[in-house]
Amino acid sequence: MSKTPLISVVMSVYNAEKYLEEAIDSILTQTYTNFEFIIINDGSTDSSLEKIEKYMKKDERIVLISRENKGLPYSLNEGIDIAKGEYIARMDADDISLPTRFEEQIEFMENDLDIGISGTWAETFGENRKNKILKYPKYHNKLKTRLLFSVCFAHPTVMIRKNILDINNLEYNLNYANAQDYELWNNISQVTKMAN
């Protein structure tokens, strides 16, 4: 990679062979291209690692960490720790990002420097799923209110200013295996503005 990436995409993978290629393709074909793509292979026992390695041969933006299974919160922290970008973009191995996701989120956050974290609405689809739009509040005060009851972001749509995490010593809590995002959003909401 010739220049420092503005975005570090962080994706943890555990036995995700079924949807992994679509997820990776949706990142590598973003209209905004100045990013590194940190993929943590969290001890997969299927063909996930081979699929990731195939993509690595074609795209130098991919940074691979591969080791035994340590869980999602540990993996995400590990990826964020090595990230070079000013922004952390979350992605999941069974999701698809629309092509202009990064372009639109970067423009949005660069135009409002008070916002430290932004997400988007999301559409559910796939086998045994009803297609629906997951709509989250757009503005900080309503997002904080929503946090009293449930999550206020679709986790794989989130983009965070890395310095918000660094300055405030924030990371995913290893004790929250199933609610690590909710716990982090609560902590982030105390130190910066949020938006969707």
Side-chain angles (χ1 to χ4, degrees):
M1 244 175 303
S2 53
K3 58 182 178 177
T4 304
L6 185 64
I7 302 171
S8 294
V9 186
V10 177
M11 181 173 80
S12 179
V13 176
Y14 178 69
N15 291 344
E17 64 182 6
K18 189 170 183 181
Y19 305 108
L20 183 58
E21 289 169 314
E22 287 179 275
I24 292 175
D25 283 335
S26 78
I27 297 300
L28 297 181
T29 57
Q30 288 290 303
T31 54
Y32 184 89
T33 60
N34 184 23
F35 62 84
E36 64 177 346
F37 191 1
I38 301 168
I39 304 177
I40 302 96
N41 177 47
D42 189 26
S44 296
T45 56
D46 64 1
S47 66
S48 293
L49 179 58
E50 296 89 82
K51 289 177 185 288
I52 298 163
E53 288 173 336
K54 181 185 78 176
Y55 279 96
M56 281 184 74
K57 291 175 184 168
K58 296 189 281 186
D59 200 308
E60 65 176 5
R61 294 174 295 180
I62 295 175
V63 178
L64 173 63
I65 297 170
S66 187
R67 42 131 181 90
E68 72 279 6
N69 181 266
K70 294 189 176 183
L72 183 60
Y74 186 97
S75 297
L76 298 181
N77 289 338
E78 192 175 17
I80 292 168
D81 284 345
I82 67 163
K84 297 183 180 93
E86 292 179 34
Y87 293 93
I88 302 296
R90 273 286 291 116
M91 180 62 181
D92 281 339
D94 61 350
D95 288 314
I96 296 170
S97 287
L98 293 175
T100 59
R101 174 195 166 188
F102 293 167
E103 182 181 343
E104 292 181 41
Q105 280 187 290
I106 285 293
E107 181 181 3
F108 178 73
M109 293 185 77
E110 291 283 290
N111 285 330
D112 191 338
L113 300 179
D114 290 335
I115 293 172
I117 179 171
S118 73
T120 72
W121 290 358
E123 182 177 4
T124 62
F125 64 94
E127 300 170 11
N128 306 317
R129 275 191 169 235
K130 201 172 187 179
N131 285 38
K132 67 176 182 177
I133 304 290
L134 302 176
K135 297 182 179 182
Y136 296 90
K138 293 182 182 179
Y139 304 109
H140 180 77
N141 288 339
K142 289 191 175 180
L143 288 165
K144 278 195 84 165
T145 302
R146 167 98 177 224
L147 272 173
L148 295 171
F149 307 101
S150 68
V151 293
C152 61
F153 296 112
H155 197 179
T157 74
V158 162
M159 189 172 282
I160 310 168
R161 293 185 198 277
K162 189 171 189 286
N163 68 347
I164 295 293
L165 301 175
D166 293 342
I167 291 167
N168 297 287
N169 201 27
L170 296 176
E171 64 179 9
Y172 291 96
N173 189 322
L174 302 184
N175 296 315
Y176 288 78
N178 297 313
Q180 73 284 335
D181 55 339
Y182 182 55
E183 200 261 353
L184 184 60
W185 310 154
N186 272 292
N187 292 334
I188 286 177
S189 73
Q190 309 302 314
V191 297
T192 190
K193 282 177 67 178
M194 308 179 293
N196 271 308

